[in-house]
């Protein structure tokens, strides 16, 4: 198997699209079947974040050894911390502008509202472990950091045979808590590193270190399994979300949760990706997949901006959500703007894609001189 697995990059690009769907909520409340469309898109897209965890565990296994466990975990953690800090910096202006605007509309003291929100966001557990102190989507990064550490502990003591079974037990507890809390309740949030990220990172790690490799001649069989499990997931999500809650698609919007079928769906999809490593090679998707984490970090504040635009337009007498074009364009536009912003930040030196995402003024100045210098030279040549 070659070092570059185009199928994984391709599916990363697709997965980010479904992340945007989940947060932007296209078609919700639109017409008679808008909720049905969103339910199908959101449910099928449940592979999105788990796929990133599996891919991270898969590539972690190429570097992680019992002799270099601490070094590898710290190195990976350092990169993830810079991404986490970047995510906070990107979202904080949108967050605090929203808090200030709401406080002004409600006649409350703006400064007091901002201080209260800052104090709330400084909660150690949610800032350092759960990752949702400033924005809920950042939980992915802190979960990944701790999941790497959990996998590292098993590797350091050469107990890899216990890794996936242990992670599976925690994940099953998390699945039960999220979907049937009236039967099984964990007295803590379970969409975190221990109950969620740990399992999928361990799964990716196990798929890499095992002697078994998917047969490329059976890629169609694996694809059939993926499609079949997608149907199973739709049925399971509908039963848990609507039948058990006595809700209807026409009237209610129940956000999907990660379930038992999600684990099978994601596993089949990743196995299929390994069996078809050139999937998407002749398209631009693998290139987009390389920027997936950046789009993930930037799309959330962009979604909030579009929600504000929709609210202002509605207040002015025109509700864009009543038009099909708004719903059709919402996800592609948010995706495109997030990608363009991320690449632009790299071009001017605010971040270094593939390296540190901590903004450094010296790097920005150096990059701007290079960009402006090349343009000056080009113009002078003409």
């Amino acid at each position: 198997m070659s070092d570059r697995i185009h199928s994984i990059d391709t599916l990363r690009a697709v997965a980010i699209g479904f992340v945007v769907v989940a947060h932007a909520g296209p078609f919700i409340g639109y017409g008679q079947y808008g909720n049905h469309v969103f339910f199908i898109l959101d449910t099928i897209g449940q592979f999105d974040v788990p796929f990133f965890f599996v891919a991270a565990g898969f590539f972690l296994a190429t570097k992680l050894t019992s002799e270099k466990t601490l070094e590898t975990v710290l190195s990976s953690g350092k990169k993830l911390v810079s991404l986490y800090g970047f995510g906070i910096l990107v979202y904080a202006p949108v967050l605090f502008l929203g808090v200030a605007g709401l406080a002004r509309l409600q006649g409350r003291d703006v400064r007091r509202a901002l201080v209260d929100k800052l104090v709330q966001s400084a909660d150690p557990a949610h800032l350092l472990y759960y990752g949702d102190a400033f924005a809920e989507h950042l939980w992915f990064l802190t979960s990944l950091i701790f999941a790497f550490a959990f996998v590292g502990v098993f590797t350091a003591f050469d107990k890899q045979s216990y890794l996936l079974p242990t992670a599976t037990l925690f994940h099953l507890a998390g699945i039960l808590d999220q979907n049937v809390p009236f039967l099984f309740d964990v007295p803590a949030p379970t969409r975190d590193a221990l109950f969620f990220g740990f399992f999928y990172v361990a799964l990716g790690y196990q798929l890499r270190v095992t002697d078994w490799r998917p047969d490329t001649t059976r890629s169609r069989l694996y694809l059939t399994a993926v499609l079949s499990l997608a149907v199973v997931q739709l049925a399971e999500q509908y039963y848990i979300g609507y039948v058990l809650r006595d809700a209807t698609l026409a009237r209610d919007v129940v956000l999907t949760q990660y379930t038992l079928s999600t684990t099978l769906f994601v596993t089949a999809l990743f196995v299929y990706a390994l069996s078809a490593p050139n999937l998407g090679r002749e398209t631009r998707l693998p290139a987009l997949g390389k920027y997936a984490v950046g789009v993930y970090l930037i799309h959330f504040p962009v979604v909030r901006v579009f929600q504000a635009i929709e609210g202002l337009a509605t207040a002015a007498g025109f509700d864009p959500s009543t038009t099909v074009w708004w719903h059709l364009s919402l996800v592609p536009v948010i995706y495109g703007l997030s990608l363009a912003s991320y690449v632009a930040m790299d071009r001017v030196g605010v971040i270094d894609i593939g390296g540190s995402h901590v903004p450094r003024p010296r790097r920005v100045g150096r990059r701007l001189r290079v960009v402006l210098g090349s343009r000056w030279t080009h113009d002078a040549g003409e």
Side-chain angles (χ1 to χ4, degrees), residues 55-278:
F58 185 82
F59 291 113
L60 176 68
T62 64
K63 301 174 289 184
L64 196 61
T65 63
S66 58
E67 296 80 13
K68 294 186 177 181
T69 298
L70 183 60
E71 178 184 342
T72 302
V73 171
L74 289 177
S75 176
S76 299
K78 182 179 179 181
K79 294 178 182 178
L80 292 170
V81 167
S82 78
L83 285 168
Y84 180 52
F86 171 71
I88 292 175
L89 289 175
V90 168
Y91 186 66
V94 176
L95 173 66
F96 289 113
L97 279 173
V99 170
L102 182 62
R104 184 174 291 275
L105 286 174
Q106 295 176 342
R108 296 185 292 117
D109 182 72
V110 173
R111 184 176 299 178
R112 180 65 182 178
L114 290 172
V115 171
D116 289 344
K117 184 60 181 177
L118 187 61
V119 171
Q120 177 187 347
S121 300
D123 178 87
H126 289 273
L127 181 64
L128 302 176
Y129 178 73
Y130 291 110
D132 58 357
F134 282 89
E136 60 192 59
H137 70 300
L138 297 180
W139 74 273
F140 163 71
L141 292 170
T142 53
S143 292
L144 198 54
I145 292 171
F146 281 96
F148 278 6
F150 296 155
V151 173
V153 169
F154 284 83
T155 304
F157 291 96
D158 286 321
K159 299 296 181 181
Q160 292 92 328
S161 60
Y162 297 97
L163 173 60
L164 190 56
T166 303
T168 300
L169 289 175
F170 279 108
H171 190 51
L172 286 175
I175 287 175
L176 291 172
D177 173 71
Q178 291 180 31
N179 293 280
V180 286
F182 48 86
L183 296 178
F184 186 88
D185 182 47
V186 177
T190 52
R191 188 173 292 193
D192 68 343
L194 183 61
F195 292 96
F196 186 90
F198 182 28
F199 168 76
Y200 284 108
V201 171
L203 175 62
Y205 177 91
Q206 195 65 43
L207 286 172
R208 182 73 188 207
V209 300
T210 185
D211 292 332
W212 178 79
R213 288 289 180 271
D215 190 342
T216 56
T217 62
R218 295 186 176 182
S219 60
R220 290 188 179 182
L221 177 62
Y222 300 134
L223 179 58
T224 301
V226 171
L227 297 176
S228 300
L229 287 166
V231 174
V232 171
Q233 176 150 290
L234 282 167
E236 184 187 36
Q237 291 281 5
Y238 180 76
Y239 180 77
I240 293 174
Y242 290 88
V243 175
L244 290 182
R245 292 176 170 83
D246 194 26
T248 64
L249 279 168
R251 184 188 67 231
D252 307 296
V253 177
V254 179
L255 298 180
T256 56
Q257 298 288 343
Y258 297 105
T259 60
L260 181 61
S261 64
T262 306
T263 64
L264 303 175
F265 181 35
V266 172
T267 302
L269 183 62
F270 201 84
V271 169
Y272 169 66
L274 295 179
S275 73
N278 290 321

